[in-house]
Amino acid sequence: MIRRTEYLKESPSQTAGPYVHIGCVPNFCGIGGVFPEDLGATMITGEAKGERITIRGTVLDGTGAALKDAMVEIWQADAAGLYNSPEETRGEADPHFTGFGRRAGDYDTGEWRFETIRPGPVPGPGGRMQNPHVTLWIVARGINIGLHTRMYFPEDDVSADPVLSRIEHRTRVPTLIAKREGAGQYRFDIHLQGPDETIFFDC
Amino acid sequence: MTYFQRDRSWHPPAFFPPYKTSVRRSPQSALVMLPETLSEATGPVFGQSALGPLDNDLIRNFSPSGEDAIGPRIIVYGRVEDEAGRPVPGALIEVWQANAGGRYRHAKEGYVAPLDPNFGGCGRCISDDDGWYEFRTVQPGPYPWPNGPNDWRPAHIHFSIFGRSFTQRLITQIYFEGDPMIWRCPIVSSIPSKEGIESLIAVYDHAATVPMDARAYRWDIVLRGRRRTMFEGDAR
């Protein structure tokens, strides 16, 4: 007799809606006094090792308009390539760097900005080292399930990266590479649609 | 791979024209398969010490006057588990919602229902060692929104959930058993199956009511399942 293997189904996603700020960055939207600080507001909590960088950008829709109600989260390794997570088994991550940041776009311009450090390389498929990268997750009104992408650095040679090198549509790879705007200053605009549509991942 | 692959056919598609905002905000290219690496298998963890004592009590956590928020008092509770049925302890759950009249505390909110001066509309908690979580709040009201000529959102609470890894990251909404508005909402109907929709409906739980105080609704959260590995010490 065949016995079925029963698994539960993941709870279906729903849009974060226009008011994601209320729950995720309440201080940003003027709801003070509930939480002392918005989650992910500070990534560097002391004398963190590594190069201080800023990453700013906007999320753009299919008409080229900036989303003014998006929330962006980033997750990254520290300068040594270690994650500040209990699942990190290779060593102790820098205790002065959380690796997690969360920002809402500016109400007028849609621009968001993270003050962080340049991540170190992290092992990837087959133990090959991946280029330094930042994981991003984007939600907003009209986005039915959070969008997962990565940002890479323009100074690094991406040809040997085990993730980037397997992307079939080579013309789209530049959508994952930040633009350098000055020393330690990067811009990463995310295009939800159109000819410059950013690569989004399923993993 | 340590996590089960996500069943995208169970989730709402990115492009869903009845929800008009999705038309210009949905990627048109197929998602690119990303082999799971440490970047996805890790994620931020937020300790219980990060929370204040009223963080999961939306009836009192904002109130400048010290008076309770207005509306039907409810408890929302349940268990966070993964697709393999294992509890997920230490999950951070953030919630936000409209007040009992259906109005949000937000600069861009324009609905005519009154603001409740004692209701902020946000809260958070962390699941316990067995995966249980709990909030106290007021039942949110339904409200109209400018999508179709006469579209309303059913009463709902938004949930943002962090599990053990960035792969488990999820934002969703819950609805309430018996609400006729659920089956008329374009956002709800973006979920492809009736079973999927029903899995977001919190069930009235009479046994868990607090007599003379609050009714209770139960909603269990399911995050992506993790494969058992040879090296995992967890016996569950």
Side-chain angles (χ1 to χ4, degrees):
Chain A
M1 182 183 162
I2 294 173
R3 289 185 61 195
R4 292 193 186 282
T5 308
E6 294 294 342
Y7 286 99
L8 303 170
K9 298 294 285 182
E10 186 183 14
S11 299
S13 175
Q14 291 274 262
T15 175
Y19 304 133
V20 63
H21 311 89
I22 295 172
C24 293
V25 285
N27 292 291
F28 170 86
C29 77
I31 300 175
V34 181
F35 309 141
E37 184 182 53
D38 290 337
L39 198 71
T42 308
M43 301 180 69
I44 297 170
T45 57
E47 292 298 314
K49 299 184 191 71
E51 181 194 349
R52 301 284 198 280
I53 61 170
T54 63
I55 302 168
R56 61 193 183 109
T58 48
V59 183
L60 303 151
D61 71 12
T63 71
L67 271 60
K68 294 168 185 174
D69 51 11
M71 181 180 86
V72 178
E73 290 179 348
I74 66 172
W75 173 241
Q76 63 164 94
D78 69 8
L82 295 169
Y83 282 100
N84 190 340
S85 159
E87 307 286 317
E88 174 60 83
T89 56
R90 297 168 299 148
E92 182 92 3
D94 187 335
H96 300 300
F97 183 67
T98 69
F100 172 72
R102 174 188 270 178
R103 287 285 184 286
D106 181 87
Y107 278 168
D108 296 321
T109 65
E111 187 167 287
W112 40 265
R113 175 191 171 95
F114 292 96
E115 293 180 11
T116 181
I117 58 149
R118 177 187 288 271
V122 173
R128 290 165 64 197
M129 294 307 278
Q130 305 184 72
N131 278 10
H133 62 271
V134 172
T135 293
L136 294 97
W137 196 72
I138 302 112
V139 292
R141 177 174 63 104
I143 295 177
N144 288 329
I145 182 165
L147 296 167
H148 180 160
T149 188
R150 284 181 168 195
M151 187 201 98
Y152 290 83
F153 292 87
E155 295 87 353
D156 298 333
D157 173 13
V158 300
S159 59
D161 180 82
V163 169
L164 291 176
S165 61
R166 57 192 279 163
I167 293 173
E168 184 185 350
H169 298 107
R170 303 308 299 165
T171 56
R172 299 189 66 203
V173 172
T175 68
L176 300 179
I177 300 169
K179 291 184 172 57
R180 191 173 182 274
E181 296 191 310
Q185 307 283 317
Y186 297 94
R187 166 167 284 277
F188 187 63
D189 289 330
I190 295 163
H191 296 262
L192 300 180
Q193 281 183 356
D196 300 322
E197 183 178 306
T198 301
I199 289 177
F200 298 105
F201 291 107
D202 189 11
C203 77
Chain B
M1 294 275 278
T2 58
Y3 283 88
F4 302 162
Q5 70 191 61
R6 177 167 265 160
D7 179 357
R8 297 255 167 196
S9 69
W10 176 253
H11 288 278
F15 179 75
F16 187 72
Y19 176 23
K20 289 181 182 167
T21 313
S22 77
V23 171
R24 289 297 180 199
R25 293 184 169 194
S26 46
Q28 292 167 321
S29 296
L31 299 177
V32 171
M33 164 62 192
L34 177 67
E36 186 183 299
T37 72
L38 275 168
S39 308
E40 294 75 40
T42 56
V45 165
F46 308 95
Q48 196 74 45
S49 62
L51 304 191
L54 291 179
D55 280 9
N56 71 340
D57 184 2
L58 283 72
I59 291 178
R60 296 221 177 113
N61 70 8
F62 175 79
S63 174
S65 72
E67 291 177 18
D68 288 1
I70 294 168
R73 301 156 72 88
I74 60 169
I75 289 162
V76 178
Y77 85 105
R79 188 169 174 262
V80 190
E81 52 201 345
D82 75 7
E83 289 168 294
R86 287 187 284 182
V88 181
L92 175 73
I93 300 155
E94 298 164 281
V95 296
W96 64 102
Q97 63 169 88
N99 69 24
R103 178 155 164 176
Y104 285 99
R105 180 172 291 281
H106 194 281
K108 296 189 176 178
E109 162 70 292
Y111 184 36
V112 293
L115 264 184
D116 176 349
N118 295 317
F119 188 71
C122 60
R124 59 188 181 185
C125 73
I126 289 175
S127 60
D128 72 13
D129 288 349
D130 297 313
W132 294 97
Y133 77 92
E134 180 174 322
F135 290 97
R136 191 172 76 146
T137 186
V138 294
Q139 188 156 7
Y143 57 85
W145 59 299
N147 183 65
N150 185 21
D151 281 333
W152 291 69
R153 296 297 334 275
H156 62 277
I157 300 176
H158 295 264
F159 273 67
S160 166
I161 306 135
F162 284 89
R164 294 170 71 149
S165 74
F166 224 76
T167 347
Q168 288 184 320
R169 189 81 181 84
L170 183 70
I171 283 186
T172 188
Q173 303 176 29
I174 68 163
Y175 306 95
F176 294 91
E177 182 182 2
D179 184 348
M181 312 298 280
I182 294 171
W183 306 99
R184 294 174 176 270
C185 174
I187 289 177
V188 172
S189 63
S190 68
I191 298 168
S193 67
K194 185 165 184 280
E195 294 84 351
I197 293 171
E198 285 171 343
S199 72
L200 294 184
I201 300 177
V203 176
Y204 173 64
D205 183 348
H206 192 71
T209 56
V210 178
M212 305 303 288
D213 186 343
R215 292 176 303 142
Y217 283 90
R218 175 163 174 180
W219 181 58
D220 292 338
I221 300 168
V222 183
L223 301 179
R224 284 175 70 182
R226 208 160 76 124
R227 279 175 213 276
R228 202 179 292 265
T229 68
M230 287 171 66
F231 305 106
E232 191 176 347
D234 187 354
R236 277 192 288 252

